[in-house]
Amino acid sequence: MNGLDTRPIRPPLPIFETLGHWCVGLAVVAAVVAIAGIVGWFTVPRARHSPVIVRLWIGCAIVGVIAIVFAILLLA
């Protein structure tokens, strides 16, 4: 029955786990920066009209999503 195993074979390289953990860390950092932007949005009245905060949120969202996708692919 060994010939029926059709799972993809991934070489046992520790670099995949290392890169996956780095991606998880990057996603956490992006989430923390986004939360800091949200706190700044509500606590600093002048920041509510700043496009920098919106760009910060968009950038963190893009970086976070890409990091999570790579983490899933590398750690699966």
Side-chain angles (χ1 to χ4, degrees), residues 9-76:
I9 298 172
R10 185 177 68 135
L13 295 174
I15 190 71
F16 288 126
E17 289 185 22
T18 303
L19 290 174
H21 292 301
W22 277 92
C23 288
V24 170
L26 181 63
V28 169
V29 168
V32 168
V33 172
I35 290 171
I38 292 170
V39 170
W41 175 271
F42 287 111
T43 57
V44 180
R46 193 175 52 194
R48 290 186 186 164
H49 303 290
S50 174
V52 175
I53 299 291
V54 176
R55 289 185 193 132
L56 175 78
W57 287 346
I58 292 171
C60 287
I62 291 170
V63 169
V65 167
I66 291 172
I68 289 171
V69 167
F70 275 116
I72 290 170
L73 290 175
L74 290 169
L75 294 175

